[in-house]
Amino acid sequence: MTEAAGRRASPLSPIPAVLIAVVSVQGGAALAKGLFPAVGATGAAGLRLVLASVMLLAFFRPPVTRYTRAQWAAIIPYGLALGVMNLTYYLAIARIPLGLAVTLEFVGPFALAVVGSRKALDFVWVLFAATGIVLITPWTARPGGLDPLGVVLALAAGACWAVYILVGGRLSRLVPEGQGVAVGMVVATLVVLPFSLVGGHLERLTPALFAASVGVALLSSALPYTLEMMALGKLSSRTFGILMSLEPGVATVAGWVFLHEQLTPLQWLAVALVSVASAGATLTAKRPPPPVEV
């Protein structure tokens, strides 16, 4: 039986899979931020990845010893991007509101979505998104303003997000969907765990905090990354990036509902501009060609 024939058909079409992943990961992020006072941002990131790795390895049982050099060459960059993205994102949301962090992080996938485009409308969406980013960026230091380091960390997470989209597409074509996520999550854990052990407060972990960490791992990693990997094999990198750009609006609502994070009118406007850019780019995007069976 060939590798392609051995893959199970995804129960979801790619677009609903991405949308469910978006909601899941932001709900998990709100839950994770509640853990920061106890275990720190790096501790929460480490717990999330360790637990997600255990879940995914147990469920998908990847045949690690049988992977080829080409497969490992796809897995390792995916895991590195995933690990650094998680670490910088958690450090960012420890300093700035969840919705604003995701809006800034969005720069990576949005840039990937429109790069090389020659459509006039796409440049309009870029202008909308850029205006939103300008409104968020703390150009001057002022009491109660955004933490500049948090802004930089969110932008770094966005760069990793763009890399994740690119390498994830290649990985999904070389390794069965869930297996690629599981092994990539292990690589990500190895990247983040040293920071968690040094900078986290894992000795404060209680049964209640551990249970919450399991929920974070499920909502923020195990479920959404599996759904995303299913979608990456069927969508172009550009289309996937556009769909994922719904994250800012979802994250803002999650931060407001679950964390009681308040934004200024200009910050709400920034998120709205980015959301309009996302919706516009989605409407004007070309449909991807059907995937080629191999």
Side-chain angles (χ1 to χ4, degrees), residues 86-112:
N86 276 273
L87 183 61
T88 52
Y89 173 66
Y90 270 40
L91 290 171
I93 65 173
R95 291 168 171 80
I96 61 178
L98 180 63
L100 298 186
V102 176
T103 302
L104 289 165
E105 187 187 26
F106 160 79
V107 170
F110 186 82
L112 182 64

Side-chain angles (χ1 to χ4, degrees), residues 6-276:
R7 298 187 188 190
R8 290 177 294 179
S10 171
L12 286 175
S13 59
I15 291 178
V18 173
L19 295 177
I20 293 171
V22 166
V23 174
S24 178
V25 78
Q26 294 310 323
L31 180 60
K33 192 165 182 176
L35 300 176
F36 289 2
V39 298
T42 57
L47 284 168
R48 165 187 173 176
L49 291 174
V50 167
L51 293 169
S53 296
V54 171
M55 292 177 189
L56 292 170
L57 288 173
F59 186 77
F60 291 106
R61 301 181 182 275
V64 175
T65 58
R66 296 204 296 271
Y67 286 151
T68 65
R69 181 176 297 182
Q71 287 173 315
W72 279 112
I75 291 168
I76 291 174
Y78 173 83
L80 289 173
L82 186 57
V84 178
M85 179 176 69
N86 276 273
L87 183 61
T88 52
Y89 173 66
Y90 270 40
L91 290 171
I93 65 173
R95 291 168 171 80
I96 61 178
L98 180 63
L100 298 186
V102 176
T103 302
L104 289 165
E105 187 187 26
F106 160 79
V107 170
F110 186 82
L112 182 64
V114 299
V115 67
S117 174
R118 291 179 174 82
K119 286 185 178 180
L121 271 178
D122 282 341
F123 290 101
V124 173
W125 310 137
V126 169
L127 179 61
F128 272 50
T131 303
I133 301 304
V134 168
L135 290 175
I136 291 173
T137 304
W139 301 105
T140 59
R142 62 185 186 278
L146 287 185
D147 184 331
L149 179 57
V151 171
V152 171
L153 288 165
L155 291 172
C160 293
W161 194 357
V163 174
Y164 161 81
I165 292 169
L166 290 172
V167 298
R170 179 169 180 262
L171 176 62
S172 69
R173 293 186 289 272
L174 292 174
V175 181
E177 294 161 348
Q179 293 181 12
V181 176
V183 183
M185 195 71 70
V186 173
V187 175
T189 301
L190 295 176
V191 171
V192 173
L193 200 55
F195 297 93
S196 302
L197 295 174
V198 173
H201 304 285
L202 300 182
E203 71 279 359
R204 300 177 183 173
L205 196 63
T206 64
L209 289 173
F210 180 79
S213 299
V214 172
V216 170
L218 180 62
L219 290 173
S220 295
S221 294
L223 177 61
Y225 290 137
T226 300
L227 292 172
E228 289 171 13
M229 188 56 65
M230 291 176 180
L232 277 166
K234 302 177 179 69
L235 297 175
S236 68
S237 294
R238 181 173 183 267
T239 303
F240 182 82
I242 291 169
L243 288 171
M244 292 296 288
S245 69
L246 294 171
E247 294 265 10
V250 176
T252 302
V253 172
W256 178 55
V257 172
F258 298 113
L259 301 172
H260 309 291
E261 293 179 338
Q262 301 296 322
L263 303 187
T264 67
L266 280 180
Q267 289 168 344
W268 276 107
L269 176 60
V271 174
L273 286 170
V274 171
S275 298
V276 169

